[in-house]
Amino acid sequence: MREKRIYLSSPHMSDEGYEMQYIKEAFDTNWIAPLGANVDGFEREMASYIGVTGAAALVSGTSALHLAIKLCGVKPGDIVLCSDLTFSATVNPVSYEGGVQVFIDCETDTWNMDPRALEIALKKYPHAKAVVVAHLYGTPAKMDEILQLCSAYNVPIIEDAAESLSARYKGKQTGTFGKYAALSFNGNKIITTSGGGMFLSNDLEAVKKVRYWATQARDPAPHYQHSEIGYNYRMSNVIAGIGRGQLKCLDAHREKKQEIYQMYKENFKDIPIQMNPHDPESEPNYWLSCMLIDRSSNVTPTMIREKLEKDNMESRPIWKPMHMQPVFLKNDYITLNVQTDVGMEIFERGVCLPSDVNMTREEQLRVIEMVRGCFK
């Protein structure tokens, strides 16, 4: 086994030291408490990069999704239509407010929410409080079709753009299509603050409300007064400094991720696999390069993962769909017909490959050699 581990997606701090410059500024001014100039700057710079009016820096992408769910007025028993093939953080906040998730199957050509299945769901649940759409592995969903459907039923869209920062659909950044959107800066994302997230919206009153809730819902009074239940969700000034530095590296990270994806695709052309697809009118950020093994092959995802692990290379299964999770087995699941379960098939035949921006070309070639060896 090689001594140096090849990771799925590890953090990369800038060679120029941008992050330390902002952190040093926070220490030099003794402003290491929550909020401060770095938080304000990070919000302003990220909103400008994405192309939205307002942003609120929070402790996680999950907290951003939670407050978006609150803004949509979700109450106990209310239906929220959610992407099925995703990480549980996309849908858990619905439960925080007592709502009920209805899961929407994905489509084969983006692995994201299938607009045709969403139409079936909206007909069944026309009074749904919101639609939560995740852009899986950095690949944009078909937002034009989803927007048209949600507009017809007057249902707000929440974008889970945790994995898709810098990805574009028809020239527009993900995070700009929904009424509200959430980003994540977890340690494995395309840029990181070690933890952290951000709420995005063009509705400045909504952004203001999120900041209020996220600081324990403190009323504007000289004493501690609270008229609503609040949360300790605001990002710290030190963490935000890391984010400001990382933002300067975002486009470079995206280019590296794309190179990794294209190298896999080129070298796997003659074996029975398909790389995670995307709509021709979208530009993914290629956060994770994933492969789907053909039905005709005897090779399994477990065989590939175990072989890579023996050489100290990290990979992992595709997200297990939400309708297959023990905690959600009683929730409704909408697919095109009972004979299809696209998300389950992708989960059962898919693998997330090492997609680390710190990975060298030689290391990736070794990964490719190991994967190809499974098909001999």
Side-chain angles (χ1 to χ4, degrees):
M1 180 183 288
R2 68 177 57 246
E3 184 176 346
K4 180 188 175 186
R5 185 160 177 78
I6 298 177
Y7 290 100
L8 188 75
S9 182
S10 67
H12 178 270
M13 296 295 104
S14 66
D15 297 333
E16 297 84 357
Y18 296 133
E19 299 86 357
M20 287 305 300
Q21 293 171 22
Y22 290 112
I23 293 171
K24 184 177 185 300
E25 180 181 315
F27 274 78
D28 287 347
T29 59
N30 199 34
W31 207 273
I32 60 170
L35 307 184
N38 280 334
V39 173
D40 296 341
F42 193 26
E43 290 175 342
R44 183 176 61 252
E45 291 154 12
M46 184 60 75
S48 176
Y49 180 90
I50 296 290
V52 293
T53 308
L58 305 173
V59 295
S60 65
T62 308
S63 58
L65 288 166
H66 177 202
L67 298 185
I69 290 291
K70 279 183 70 72
L71 284 168
C72 289
V74 174
K75 298 291 190 295
D78 286 342
I79 296 295
V80 178
L81 308 179
C82 302
S83 290
D84 180 59
L85 186 59
T86 185
F87 180 50
S88 63
T90 302
V91 306
N92 283 344
V94 176
S95 296
Y96 302 167
E97 294 301 309
V100 178
Q101 302 89 341
V102 170
F103 300 115
I104 313 300
D105 197 7
C106 61
E107 57 181 2
T108 57
D109 49 351
T110 68
W111 295 7
N112 286 308
M113 181 183 285
D114 190 331
R116 296 167 298 175
L118 175 61
E119 185 172 16
I120 295 170
L122 285 166
K123 288 178 179 177
K124 186 174 182 179
Y125 300 102
H127 303 297
K129 282 287 188 175
V131 171
V132 182
V133 181
H135 301 292
L136 193 74
Y137 298 130
T139 299
K142 292 181 179 175
M143 292 308 301
D144 276 0
E145 295 169 48
I146 292 171
L147 280 165
Q148 186 175 5
L149 284 167
C150 291
S151 176
Y153 285 86
N154 196 29
V155 180
I157 294 173
I158 300 170
E159 283 183 87
D160 180 357
E163 301 174 3
S164 66
L165 176 58
S166 78
R168 293 176 175 84
Y169 176 74
K170 295 187 176 180
K172 285 184 62 180
Q173 294 266 3
T174 57
T176 62
F177 294 91
K179 188 172 185 180
Y180 312 122
L183 303 175
S184 171
F185 310 118
N186 192 31
N188 63 1
K189 294 301 187 290
I190 194 164
I191 65 170
T192 183
T193 58
S194 77
M198 196 167 286
F199 172 88
L200 306 173
S201 182
N202 286 316
D203 182 347
L204 291 180
E205 286 302 311
V207 175
K208 182 178 178 181
K209 188 70 172 181
V210 162
R211 289 177 178 149
Y212 169 71
W213 281 332
T215 48
Q216 297 291 16
R218 286 181 58 185
D219 291 341
H223 47 274
Y224 287 94
Q225 178 173 298
H226 309 270
S227 302
E228 297 183 54
I229 296 297
Y231 309 88
N232 186 17
Y233 278 176
R234 279 298 251 155
M235 183 180 283
S236 86
N237 197 47
V238 176
I239 291 297
I242 301 174
R244 295 183 78 184
Q246 283 276 285
L247 186 52
K248 294 178 181 290
C249 309
L250 176 53
D251 290 338
H253 287 185
R254 182 187 177 281
E255 289 174 10
K256 176 64 175 177
K257 293 277 190 180
Q258 184 174 8
E259 288 174 10
I260 290 169
Y261 177 91
Q262 295 296 345
M263 191 168 178
Y264 280 132
K265 189 172 184 178
E266 180 65 26
N267 282 274
F268 291 156
K269 286 192 301 185
D270 60 339
I271 60 175
I273 69 101
Q274 172 196 348
M275 296 299 294
N276 45 323
H278 62 87
D279 188 283
E281 294 187 279
S282 72
E283 303 169 55
N285 70 359
Y286 303 96
W287 172 54
L288 289 186
S289 292
C290 308
M291 57 180 284
L292 190 66
I293 304 168
D294 289 357
R295 296 185 191 91
S296 60
S297 176
N298 293 323
V299 177
T300 67
T302 300
M303 291 166 59
I304 291 173
R305 289 191 293 104
E306 289 180 350
K307 185 168 184 177
L308 291 175
E309 188 59 41
K310 285 180 180 178
D311 204 27
N312 207 14
M313 301 171 180
E314 183 184 15
S315 62
R316 74 174 180 205
I318 299 294
W319 298 125
K320 184 175 183 178
M322 292 298 100
H323 79 279
M324 297 174 66
Q325 299 288 347
V327 70
F328 293 126
L329 289 180
K330 294 181 180 179
N331 293 56
D332 198 4
Y333 172 56
I334 308 295
T335 187
L336 287 183
N337 58 66
V338 293
Q339 283 77 39
T340 64
D341 193 330
V342 178
M344 181 177 72
E345 185 170 1
I346 292 170
F347 163 64
E348 291 178 344
R349 296 195 290 117
V351 181
C352 299
L353 297 167
S355 308
D356 194 0
V357 294
N358 297 298
M359 181 171 58
T360 66
R361 178 181 175 84
E362 290 71 26
E363 288 169 339
Q364 188 180 0
L365 287 171
R366 177 61 178 161
V367 175
I368 289 166
E369 179 186 353
M370 298 292 280
V371 173
R372 289 181 60 87
C374 292
F375 292 88
K376 290 182 179 178

